[in-house]
Amino acid sequence: KNEVEQSPQNLTAQEGEFITINCSYSVGISALHWLQQHPGGGIVSLFMLSSGKKKHGRLIATINIQEKHSSLHITASHPRDSAVYICAVHLRTTGNQFYFGTGTSLTVIP
Amino acid sequence: DAGVTQSPTHLIKTRGQHVTLRCSPISGHKSVSWYQQVLGQGPQFIFQYYEKEERGRGNFPDRFSARQFPNYSSELNVNALLLGDSALYLCASSLALVTDTQYFGPGTRLTVL
């Protein structure tokens, strides 16, 4: 059983569409991260959340601690948004465990 | 300002050999974390070091070890390599412990034949 589940696994969208990627987790956390990974492996941290909502440009991330759920939204999607989006949680334990979802592969078609 | 750097970028080893991967964090960052990403899967947490002390360890065998030096750079060592160790090894640095924003290096692609 994975501590972090993402959906969908794969997503294809037309340029301009509004996109939502979901992340559910089953453990108590102190923080949740959304990461973007481009082909070739480079990972960029998009957001770190412990409550509420954050916005950066066309990206919005929300988290509901009670429901153990987070969403990443992309407004006015663009082909350059094509990447793998990964949700990762930092457990609220002394072990500093950091669990990752398997990622959502997004392709935005012009 | 330089980002996180890792060396080497690619490495090919044979089963049973030993490998050392290196990571230099962003200047001023005291925390370094190591992750293994097998093709098609999400990264798996291996270790976190902060102020030269191990602060977290993932579910990896004792063949995996790491250390952090006084300049906060880090090495990941893997002994007795197995085919299943073939993966992208990522290093990330942050100012504080892992609840802080992490900055990832480009990774080292290890292939074990």
Side-chain angles (χ1 to χ4, degrees):
Chain A
K1 177 183 178 298
N2 292 330
E3 287 80 3
V4 182
E5 299 278 354
Q6 280 186 243
S7 63
Q9 283 190 316
N10 296 283
L11 183 55
T12 300
Q14 289 291 132
E15 183 174 356
E17 284 186 4
F18 180 83
I19 289 164
T20 296
I21 300 171
N22 296 300
C23 175
S24 297
Y25 52 92
S26 58
V27 293
I29 69 168
S30 58
L32 181 144
H33 299 249
W34 281 103
L35 310 169
Q36 180 192 56
Q37 186 170 31
H38 282 282
I43 292 181
V44 174
S45 179
L46 300 174
F47 296 103
M48 184 182 69
L49 296 161
S50 54
S51 64
K53 176 179 175 179
K54 287 189 176 180
K55 184 176 189 292
H56 184 256
R58 295 180 294 105
L59 302 178
I60 302 167
T62 63
I63 188 168
N64 184 317
I65 296 293
Q66 287 74 29
E67 294 186 4
K68 293 185 167 61
H69 181 268
S70 175
S71 292
L72 175 69
H73 305 285
I74 305 176
T75 61
S77 60
H78 190 276
R80 65 174 174 268
D81 297 327
S82 298
V84 175
Y85 292 84
I86 303 171
C87 169
V89 299
H90 180 226
L91 299 190
R92 204 188 321 121
T93 66
T94 58
N96 280 320
Q97 290 290 322
F98 200 35
Y99 285 101
F100 293 77
T102 53
T104 295
S105 179
L106 171 66
T107 302
V108 181
I109 300 169
Chain B
D1 195 14
V4 178
T5 59
Q6 291 185 244
S7 63
T9 53
H10 295 84
L11 200 51
I12 299 175
K13 292 284 190 177
T14 56
R15 281 178 295 176
Q17 284 189 311
H18 160 270
V19 69
T20 297
L21 310 181
R22 296 178 175 82
C23 172
S24 292
I26 290 172
S27 178
H29 285 193
K30 298 181 179 181
S31 175
V32 170
S33 298
W34 287 96
Y35 304 93
Q36 180 197 64
Q37 187 176 25
V38 174
L39 195 63
Q41 298 181 18
Q44 298 284 320
F45 172 73
I46 310 176
F47 288 110
Q48 191 214 4
Y49 277 78
Y50 179 72
E51 286 282 17
K52 293 158 283 183
E53 290 186 7
E54 182 183 303
R55 295 301 189 100
R57 172 186 283 256
N59 189 24
F60 279 80
D62 291 343
R63 299 184 296 107
F64 288 77
S65 63
R67 54 181 175 167
Q68 187 177 33
F69 299 98
N71 67 354
Y72 302 109
S73 67
S74 178
E75 281 183 356
L76 175 69
N77 294 284
V78 186
N79 293 323
L81 286 167
L82 303 174
L83 295 179
D85 295 331
S86 296
L88 179 69
Y89 288 84
L90 294 159
C91 169
S93 77
S94 59
L95 280 169
L97 292 177
V98 76
T99 47
D100 198 355
T101 298
Q102 295 200 60
Y103 297 84
F104 286 81
T108 294
R109 175 76 62 186
L110 172 65
T111 302
V112 182
L113 301 176

